[in-house]
Amino acid sequence: MARRSSSSELASLARLRLDESGASLRALPSRSRIVPNGGWVGAIREALGMSVQDFAHRLGITRASAAKLEASEKRGTVQLDTLQRAAAALDCELVYALVPRRGLQEMVDTRRVEILMSMQARTRQHMRLEAQEATVAYTTHALLREAERCVPDRALWKVDDKEDAGP
């Protein structure tokens, strides 16, 4: 009988896969992620030697609408579906990605440890007040394993006071 994966295991697997692609995107030189001054649509259209009128015709819109499209991309307000149609009209592929600044698993581990440390600080304070202070020293690995046990994925990014509730 096949074992069902928990949502935590599935999230961990998803993080692993996304971390692999994120690492390769982060490795790209920063110059390859710089948007041209006039936006990608205008830059590629001009590099192809295509007029705004011809571009508009390929999109099935007016010249004024094509100019507005380029202006909205430049301002950062273009909609993804519009950008997709523009890419197709320029015989390009639209690549859309969020590239984490660091690995997702690292983010999750850091957040788990922060929550656990917060919970432990409250516990240590109560024990100190009762003259029962613990002297347990955690290694980073042991602390992370404890955090994984005590802090489920679904609790990592809660904005409310759930952190204060403890395990």
Side-chain angles (χ1 to χ4, degrees), residues 10 22 67 119 123:
L10 292 175
M119 291 168 19
T123 301

Side-chain angles (χ1 to χ4, degrees), residues 50-99:
M50 186 184 296
S51 70
V52 175
Q53 182 63 46
D54 290 334
F55 177 57
H57 180 74
R58 292 173 69 100
L59 280 168
I61 60 176
T62 66
R63 184 187 186 295
S65 293
K68 285 180 184 177
L69 184 158
E70 288 186 15
S72 70
E73 185 207 0
K74 188 175 179 178
R75 285 190 312 274
T77 59
V78 68
Q79 293 184 357
L80 285 176
D81 62 333
T82 302
L83 202 52
Q84 179 66 49
R85 287 194 318 273
L90 295 168
D91 196 23
C92 292
E93 180 181 347
L94 175 64
V95 177
Y96 175 79
L98 298 176
V99 182

